[in-house]
Amino acid sequence: MKKIAVFVSGSGSNLQAIIDACESGYISKGKIEIVFSNKEDAYGLQRAKKHNIKTLFLSPDDFKTREEYDKVVATKMNELNIDLICLAGYMRILTPVFLDTFKGKIMNIHPALLPEFGGKGMYGIYVHKAVLKAGKKESGCTVHFVDYGTDTGPVILQRKVPVLDGDTPEILQKRVLEQEHLAYKEAIKLFTEDKLEIIQKKVKIKE
Ligand code: GRF
């Protein structure tokens, strides 16, 4: 059984989808060991508690640097023998100290079809505003491994949605979010079944 840590800063609807997938048996070789947050009031922490999942909150204000914060978080994750870290609306960029500890074991979900609409400032509703402004006919979501860049890591899988006439950023966001919930659990299932391999920055899905 692979031990999963989910990192959240907000609502945690993706976390909920992962919890549900574990409880239903869709993800049968993984278990959420802990939900971690940098925000005390993240609703994701409540969701975890409702399902009797361990939670941890660490306030960034208690640390001098981001590296020191990340070092402590990495230590906590190591103590729990975490196999996979899933960022699900975790609004902090991880420092190399953390990334090096969990190389190839950190996933993120992004609400656009990377490599487009990723990077600095591309989060939340801004992503969908940018997609509409660019006149795109489709959008979607991407689950990827995390590397040193922002939203630049190897893509695991993507799910697409159409952009429709009359879409507002909020409507598009909702349509994409529904697909995120499907994509994330699928990627986690693949990881926990040892079906993902990173070969020269590309993810290969094994049969
Ligand atoms: C999602 O849109 C995800 O793609 C992005 O942050 C949002 C988190 O939503 N990284 P939720 O907290 O899972 O509802």
Side-chain angles (χ1 to χ4, degrees):
M1 199 58 124
K2 295 253 195 299
K3 294 183 178 179
I4 303 166
V6 184
F7 285 24
V8 299
S9 300
S11 149
S13 71
N14 276 288
L15 163 67
Q16 189 66 54
I18 301 166
I19 293 174
D20 294 346
C22 289
E23 289 187 352
S24 73
Y26 176 82
I27 295 171
S28 62
K29 300 205 162 141
K31 176 180 179 285
I32 305 178
E33 195 67 21
I34 190 163
V35 172
F36 172 75
S37 185
N38 62 324
K39 297 264 183 212
E40 196 167 19
D41 59 354
Y43 185 60
L45 292 175
Q46 303 299 325
R47 293 185 194 265
K49 283 176 189 153
K50 272 186 209 152
H51 291 264
N52 295 316
I53 297 167
K54 197 185 310 170
T55 61
L56 176 66
F57 154 70
L58 287 175
S59 172
D61 297 342
D62 294 340
F63 297 81
K64 274 204 217 86
T65 63
R66 296 198 310 136
E67 283 75 14
E68 282 175 37
Y69 183 84
D70 277 2
K71 251 186 213 165
V72 172
V73 182
T75 304
K76 299 269 180 201
M77 295 306 129
N78 269 330
E79 282 168 7
L80 292 169
N81 295 314
I82 295 300
D83 298 297
L84 172 66
I85 291 171
C86 296
L87 309 180
Y90 184 63
M91 299 303 286
R92 255 173 99 82
I93 306 232
L94 296 167
T95 54
V97 104
F98 193 92
L99 298 170
D100 291 341
T101 313
F102 292 97
K103 217 171 171 4
K105 294 179 177 178
I106 311 171
M107 282 183 188
N108 181 44
I109 185 146
H110 185 78
L113 297 172
L114 293 173
E116 281 196 290
F117 305 103
K120 209 164 169 257
M122 281 295 166
Y123 61 91
I125 203 73
Y126 300 111
V127 176
H128 308 290
K129 280 185 179 166
V131 170
L132 290 178
K133 200 171 169 204
K136 290 284 167 184
K137 296 286 182 203
E138 59 180 15
S139 189
C141 62
T142 305
V143 186
H144 64 94
F145 282 114
V146 175
D147 67 5
Y148 293 121
T150 307
D151 304 323
T152 55
V155 170
I156 300 165
L157 54 91
Q158 298 184 305
R159 290 183 73 96
K160 293 179 180 173
V161 301
V163 175
L164 303 175
D165 287 346
D167 270 357
T168 61
E170 290 76 15
I171 293 171
L172 182 57
Q173 182 177 44
K174 192 164 168 272
R175 193 177 303 127
V176 171
L177 191 61
E178 283 168 12
Q179 297 305 311
E180 291 184 36
H181 298 160
L182 300 175
Y184 220 166
K185 67 177 182 183
E186 191 182 341
I188 293 169
K189 183 180 168 70
L190 289 167
F191 183 95
T192 54
E193 292 176 2
D194 289 321
K195 288 190 177 152
L196 299 180
E197 206 178 342
I198 306 174
I199 302 170
Q200 288 167 348
K201 295 195 176 178
K202 274 195 159 186
V203 177
K204 191 177 164 240
I205 301 178
K206 296 187 249 175
E207 283 308 309

